[in-house]
Amino acid sequence: MATLEEFQAECRSELQALRDGDGIFKQVNNERLPISDDDFEQMIVDCANGKFDQQENGYKKARLAEYPSYGEQLDYIYHNGLEAWKTDIIQPIKEAHPKPESP
Amino acid sequence: MAGSLIKITSASTTSNVSTIDIGGANWDSSYDVYMVKLYNLEQSGTTDVRLKARILKSDNSADSTANYDYAYKGLRTGAGFDNLADTNQTEFTNLTYLFRGSTSYGANAIFYLFNFNNASEYNFITVEGNGYGYDGSELMGAMGGGVHTVAQVGKGLQFSLTTDSISNAYIDLYGLKK
């Protein structure tokens, strides 16, 4: 598990390489401009926060995206019972996207 | 009524940019309500992303303080509805739910902006957007709204993606004629 500071360092390295390579641009109305140093620092913050959130909460979003609709789940429970619903529907999704362990 | 939407400014790109600002120096403060039309939004990468937006402040810079609240219903063809809500975030996100944008699909959205010219009121937006997302084979959308809980003037929106650059987008800002 990485810390926010470690993600910031990782993002700075990745984005600096991009900026030194092809450059990083922004669109302001219909003007294409190179990003400023302030923009660059904000990109690092956003990048690191995004990676940290994905690490901490990505499993929740991934599970939410894969659970079938309530109707499908209720139908499955009606036909197969609660235990089958747990093992066949819920458990595989939870195992595919495990909750990260605390450090 | 014909002629009620007055086009103020546009922004478009067909090559990679980290952000797109609509409004800012081109903002026209003579309207009560604004509409932003965003279409053919595509990304530089190939994994699912979420569209984000920040309010442009009076100095035309984006407000990145943690004062964004939003609540939408997430719509999907492949599963049931999802509740997408959060408070005290540094941006509005999930504006079209998930999408994966290439040349064959991508995302589109309409936003209405309220109270942007009133320095003593919060800025509100309504959101209706959709895209082709999740695994590149499912229509996903978001419908709802957000509030920026700072009493200040807003001068437009700055769009970006959770990861990747925006590789293609067309955005138009309109004022709603009084």
Side-chain angles (χ1 to χ4, degrees), chain A residues 35-47:
Chain A
I35 61 166
S36 67
D37 288 343
D38 286 346
D39 294 330
F40 183 66
E41 293 302 319
Q42 186 64 53
M43 284 184 74
I44 292 166
V45 170
D46 292 342
C47 169

Side-chain angles (χ1 to χ4, degrees), chain A residues 18 24-30 32 35 39 42-43 46 49 61-62 64-70 72 97, chain B residues 9-13 15-23 26 50 52 54 64 76 79-80 82 91 97 134:
Chain A
L18 193 62
I24 303 176
F25 296 87
K26 61 182 179 180
Q27 189 77 27
V28 179
N29 294 312
N30 260 331
R32 181 178 167 86
I35 61 166
D39 294 330
Q42 186 64 53
M43 284 184 74
D46 292 342
N49 286 343
K61 295 170 185 169
L64 186 67
E66 290 194 16
Y67 286 137
S69 70
Y70 293 151
E72 284 180 60
H97 306 286
Chain B
T9 191
S10 296
S12 63
T13 185
S15 54
N16 290 354
V17 291
S18 58
T19 56
I20 300 183
D21 293 6
I22 185 80
N26 290 359
R50 298 165 199 266
K52 307 186 296 182
R54 286 179 169 138
S64 60
R76 308 178 55 177
D82 294 327
E91 64 232 333
Y97 208 171
Y134 184 39

Side-chain angles (χ1 to χ4, degrees), chain A residues 7-17 40-41 44 47:
Chain A
F7 280 129
Q8 284 172 351
E10 183 181 313
C11 287
R12 182 176 295 280
S13 173
E14 289 173 2
L15 292 169
Q16 188 65 58
F40 183 66
E41 293 302 319
I44 292 166
C47 169

